[in-house]
Amino acid sequence: MDSPLLKNLNGYIGGRWKDPGEDATFDVYNPATGEVIAKVPSMSEADVNAAVDAGSKALRLTQPYSLETRRGWLEGIRDTLLDNKEEVGRILCQEHGKPLKEAKGEVEYAAGFFDYCARHIQALDAHTIAEKPKDCTWTVHYRPIGVVGLITPWNFPIGMIAKKLSAALAAGCPSVIKPASETPLTMIAMFSLIDQHVDMPDGMVNLVMGKASMIGKVLCEHPEVPMLSFTGSTEVGRKLITDTADQVKKLALELGGNAPFIVFEDADLDAAATNLMGNKFRGGGQTCVCANRVFVHEKVADAFGKKLAEKVEAMKVGDGMNEDVDIGPLINKAGFDKVHRHVSDALEKGAELVAGPKPTDLSGKDLFYPPTVVTGVTRDMACFREETFGPLVPMALFRDDDEVIAAGNDTEFGLAAYLFTADPERAQRVAAALRFGHVGWNTGTGPTPEAPFGGMKASGIGREGGLEGLFEFVEPQTVPRGF
Ligand code: NAP
């Protein structure tokens, strides 16, 4: 792929691009066309160790980088991302498949995290507490935890790293970053911009790519990496918990979801349908916060289903580089097959097709899965229990509040949930009962840089965004002074 931001298709260690050398490479595909658009190196264990060493050299404990310096890094990354939104968006669109307008929107979203941390970095300044217990003056410092490993998924190639890297830099933590193998090019583009436009010490940011199990092992076992921040599947999150247990490392985990989207009988159905469309089909349904189970009160189910079907049938599926496209391809064959399996399984077990093709009518020769709505979904169906990660809306009917709260919570996940009702008392009661870190009331919106976001239960540990996220990479150190 031709781009001024992809001149160095390589890792970045200690402030310089790694030499191409003899490294093995892996292919990066455009999922819309099936073409190989780049070959990037599969880096060695020695490279990952070198990246950690470079980070250790950049870490400053006794003479920490000032808040002003760290704010400058954050503002620099924010500005260069915004200045290059078009080109980064173009790269992102081609390696992920999401429509170009969404890809550019993701770059702005990413810049928002650097902006938020820059504006609130003062919160990380040391403070002395008002009381003087035990005849001492107590000062609390926020020390950088150390060199951190940041591992990200393919579904938001720049959004997910922005959440982590902004808070890590705000804390003064050097990082070793590993992007998903499906989408390393957006990350390379970001490093290219940092290299050219942001004045940061060598080793503050390092990029490694290649075999996930090896990179994960080095980061889990290296004594100079006290913390890993990971976004991805719960399965890999569980492995990181096990693999870091010996050294008792700190983990920030943003894992899978299985979001309920609840439409009560008193809801504004047009607003609920419009919000569901925006929530469900962003990224082709491949987001951790997108509705995975849509519960509709039986009194309004037919009316809601009709509204939804009309909107779904008007959507245009295709290559995200075409301006009028609403939904791009799924990321790979495994992603396509999972959606196909979920739709087939639901129909075999008695669900009805409301919109979209029968799975048997699809050729399966490309990665485009048309948006599909089914109704009559029950808990024995795969689409109820597993994260579909694709453009399927599975509707289940309910009769009363207690029933739908129990059904919504009937999952090991606890990331995002949504409820639509005109009754504030009901909204407060249901939101409090839903064990999810994010509960949208009359909105399908996902996270924002200004507010904490993260999961309960098997959806993760910790928060990204907001002041809570800003404090993820610091160790509070308390210094009581006697005289
Ligand atoms: P994944 O398979 O867990 O991969 C995520 C990242 O982990 C990739 O960079 C992957 O590298 C790496 N990885 C794989 N095995 C590893 C190991 N043994 N040690 C260390 N790293 C390893 O997840 P995904 O399929 O990319 O992403 C989809 C999942 O992410 C969904 O479950 C979604 O809900 C979740 N997600 C959650 C949030 C949130 O905020 N909670 C946000 C976005 C996505 P390779 O690509 O090289 O395999």
Side-chain angles (χ1 to χ4, degrees):
M1 181 178 181
D2 217 17
S3 167
L5 302 183
L6 298 177
K7 290 206 182 314
N8 292 288
L9 282 179
N10 220 319
Y12 187 88
I13 299 175
R16 44 195 68 80
W17 295 101
K18 197 184 162 281
D19 289 335
E22 304 278 288
D23 284 336
T25 58
F26 61 94
D27 294 339
V28 183
Y29 294 87
N30 178 339
T33 62
E35 287 164 4
V36 174
I37 50 174
K39 288 179 182 295
V40 298
S42 191
M43 293 165 73
S44 67
E45 192 169 331
D47 292 331
V48 186
N49 279 307
V52 175
D53 290 348
S56 298
K57 288 196 186 99
L59 179 66
R60 281 219 216 142
L61 292 177
T62 51
Q63 288 184 308
Y65 301 106
S66 69
L67 290 180
E68 213 37 62
T69 300
R70 281 136 62 192
R71 184 186 289 124
W73 302 339
L74 295 163
E75 289 173 346
I77 300 178
R78 173 198 65 195
D79 292 345
T80 190
L81 285 179
L82 291 176
D83 290 346
N84 293 277
K85 181 178 78 176
E86 299 290 325
E87 186 57 12
V88 179
R90 194 178 72 86
I91 294 167
L92 200 164
C93 168
Q94 291 191 51
E95 67 174 349
H96 176 284
K98 65 178 70 177
L100 185 57
K101 56 182 180 281
E102 268 189 46
K104 288 192 258 183
E106 185 183 332
V107 182
E108 284 173 1
Y109 176 67
F113 284 90
F114 293 101
D115 180 62
Y116 178 85
C117 287
R119 286 190 289 111
H120 291 271
I121 198 166
Q122 211 63 37
L124 297 179
D125 205 0
H127 67 273
T128 300
I129 61 178
E131 296 89 343
K132 289 203 168 189
K134 300 183 190 272
D135 274 343
C136 290
T137 306
W138 296 70
T139 304
V140 183
H141 299 267
Y142 295 104
R143 310 294 192 196
I145 190 166
V147 179
V148 292
L150 310 181
I151 304 175
T152 54
W154 49 263
N155 67 341
F156 287 96
I158 196 150
M160 294 300 130
I161 189 59
K163 293 177 169 208
K164 300 177 190 310
L165 182 60
S166 55
L169 289 175
C173 292
S175 54
V176 176
I177 297 171
K178 186 226 170 288
S181 297
E182 270 95 350
T183 55
L185 302 181
T186 307
M187 195 77 85
I188 292 174
M190 183 186 82
F191 268 79
S192 174
L193 291 172
I194 292 176
D195 181 61
Q196 288 170 43
H197 302 294
V198 187
D199 188 15
M200 252 195 289
D202 292 348
M204 274 312 285
V205 289
N206 302 279
L207 172 63
V208 296
M209 293 167 291
K211 203 165 175 222
S213 53
M214 178 278 288
I215 296 171
K217 188 166 184 294
V218 173
L219 295 175
C220 285
E221 293 180 358
H222 203 299
E224 286 181 38
V225 180
M227 174 177 176
L228 264 70
S229 176
F230 168 81
T231 301
S233 61
T234 295
E235 185 193 349
V236 174
R238 283 197 173 102
K239 181 164 167 47
L240 297 179
I241 292 172
T242 309
D243 293 354
T244 53
D246 270 0
Q247 291 186 32
V248 196
K249 293 194 179 193
K250 181 171 176 183
L251 286 175
L253 300 176
E254 296 289 336
L255 308 177
N258 183 358
F261 189 106
I262 305 171
V263 183
F264 288 95
E265 71 278 18
D266 61 354
D268 176 334
L269 296 189
D270 287 314
T274 302
N275 274 275
L276 179 57
M277 295 297 293
N279 166 283
K280 175 72 222 187
F281 295 112
R282 197 158 56 107
Q286 303 170 110
T287 76
C288 56
V289 292
C290 71
N292 201 58
R293 297 165 296 152
V294 178
F295 296 101
V296 189
H297 193 279
E298 61 177 10
K299 283 190 190 151
V300 294
D302 284 348
F304 186 71
K306 279 198 191 99
K307 286 179 193 295
L308 207 56
E310 266 172 35
K311 290 179 189 291
V312 163
E313 274 154 10
M315 293 189 94
K316 178 142 190 236
V317 183
D319 185 332
M321 288 300 286
N322 298 331
E323 268 189 9
D324 56 345
V325 158
D326 302 303
I327 295 197
L330 290 165
I331 188 72
N332 54 28
K333 181 81 170 74
F336 182 96
D337 289 348
K338 189 173 190 188
V339 184
H340 195 274
R341 174 168 65 81
H342 279 195
V343 179
S344 307
D345 170 78
L347 296 179
E348 275 160 26
K349 289 182 176 148
E352 282 172 38
L353 201 56
V354 177
K358 285 190 200 142
T360 44
D361 290 345
L362 293 172
S363 74
K365 287 195 180 134
D366 55 37
L367 299 177
F368 296 101
Y369 203 104
T372 300
V373 181
V374 298
T375 191
V377 164
T378 49
R379 73 176 309 286
D380 58 320
M381 297 175 185
C383 64
F384 189 101
R385 296 188 314 276
E386 300 171 21
E387 202 179 14
T388 302
F389 241 52
L392 166 64
V393 179
M395 293 200 327
L397 310 195
F398 71 93
R399 287 197 185 86
D400 66 57
D401 294 18
D402 289 345
E403 178 195 351
V404 79
I405 290 168
N409 281 332
D410 183 14
T411 168
E412 68 168 329
F413 298 108
L415 194 59
Y418 310 88
L419 59 105
F420 282 73
T421 173
D423 176 354
E425 190 277 325
R426 174 187 251 169
Q428 300 295 345
R429 188 166 37 81
V430 175
L434 289 171
R435 305 300 293 155
F436 293 81
H438 174 102
V439 184
W441 171 27
N442 290 347
T443 175
T445 189
T448 180
E450 297 81 6
F453 175 82
M456 296 185 186
K457 295 160 58 181
S459 286
I461 302 173
R463 293 294 180 265
E464 292 182 334
L467 285 178
E468 289 80 354
L470 186 62
F471 281 82
E472 277 287 45
F473 294 89
V474 293
E475 290 276 32
Q477 182 187 56
T478 311
V479 180
R481 181 178 165 191
F483 54 87

